[in-house]
Amino acid sequence: MEEQRNPPKILEEEGKEESAMKKKSQNEISSLPDSILLHILSLLPVKYAAATSVLAKRWRDLSICNLIHAANLDFGDEVADNPAPEQFVDFVNRCVNIHVGKKIERFRLCFDPSDRFRSDAVNWIGFATRKNVKELHLDFCRRRDHYDIREETTSDEHKPFELPELLFTNESLTHLDLSHCVLTLPLDFSGFGFLKTLRLRDVNITETTLECLLANCPVLEKLILKECPLQSIKIPESNQQLRTLTLCHCWQGSEIEISAPNIRSFLYWGKLMQWFSIKNISALEEAVIYIREREDGRPDDVRIRILSDLAYVKILTICGGALPWHTPKDFRVTFNNLKELQLLADSVCDVYSFFRQSICPCLERFYIRLPGVPEDMCLWEYVGMPTVEPLNCVFNHLKLIKMGNFRGSKVELKMVKFLLERATVLESLVLVVPQESYAIKKDLGDESEDSEFQSNSIKTPPLCLLQEKLLQLPKASLGAQIILRESLEGCNDILLNR
């Protein structure tokens, strides 16, 4: 009986101890001076900072003090995620009306005002502008759960929010982030003299407006255009301070021309444009080029131009869809600065294509993501993709190769052999095998043991089957280690040495 009574006593003691620790923690926080507590509140989103007012009178006073002097007003998703837009509008209006500070550093709003609350949204933008806000984030994305179904059935068309002209009178802006709205510049727009970061996502803007905007942002360092309905994107040479450029999912575009000379980082994700030109950017350090689908009917001249224009890059990520298949016999791009290459391959043939067209004398790190499904080389040959290894290709500085989605097929092993024979100072080759790659022995060429393998395939891990084949491959660097690794975390590596 005594043994049965002890556990409840132990649990009761543990509960008391936990309660005492919580009380002690609360007392320690409450013992902090007001200045520190106000600083903590200033770091919280408005919704959570306001919620502390229910704790005690002191916290209520601190919460009010924080709101009326807040330098950071964040009415983001955690605030807007309320089924009743009236409550959101009332909350923001109360916060704005009690604010007495002369300036705010950051103002963030995620809300679709629809027709009912457009005037409120304009007032909030005016408030932020009058307070000389430095970082302004406005997202007017439509959220269906905020609106009554009856409103949607009676409305012919949901009009996107048009930014008020008063926004463009703010001369203090350093960061401007706009989403799901219409941007039209006033005729007397004098520019954003201190703007360093501009991000536009799904913003209805014309080519002329973008050109005028960029021409009047003399210190702009970072530009992001995402899902904007632009036919032509031109980044002029006058943007001398531009360091980072991202163009993503601008599907309506047909031409891109980049002339800003000091860009360090360039990311492009989208379709193959009819015209793609990157001029005079010898300062380029990192580039990401992802063209999702290959349009077989389009000539390779645009892809050739893209590859040529990236010659100065130091770190390059490129997908198979961006590589030309057919080039002139004497076509070569020398990447004298390239230290790291990441290739998102549609086929192992993309590896051969890249090094047939490129010379990389300083390459040190090579990352390859192989396709997620086994390849049919006959299909690639049928559509005209080159499948022959490039000649006279040597990697005198390559130290690391990492390959994802490696299944150990004949074509993949052939590519591994190609790399091992040419990497003279290679230190590590890491092959990441998908967990589902159990039935790979047939691809390894052991057809005589195929029936036995099929009966034991679930019990035999693929890493063990690959060891023998990999150990037979010749290596130019005798000290190179080959590491087999399953893609799931927690799996042991197999280190192969001769």
Side-chain angles (χ1 to χ4, degrees), residues 63 191 206 274:
S63 176
T206 66
Q274 296 177 10

Side-chain angles (χ1 to χ4, degrees), residues 197-243:
T197 300
L198 175 62
R199 180 180 183 271
L200 305 180
R201 179 184 180 185
D202 192 16
V203 172
N204 193 336
I205 182 174
T206 66
E207 290 78 7
T208 303
T209 300
L210 178 62
E211 182 180 349
C212 179
L213 185 59
L214 295 178
N216 288 280
C217 297
V219 298
L220 188 66
E221 297 178 357
K222 186 174 184 179
L223 174 63
I224 301 172
L225 301 177
K226 188 174 182 180
E227 301 170 16
C228 293
L230 292 162
Q231 294 286 335
S232 173
I233 300 174
K234 295 184 179 181
I235 312 299
E237 187 176 355
S238 58
N239 288 110
Q240 297 282 326
Q241 301 300 318
L242 192 63
R243 299 292 185 269

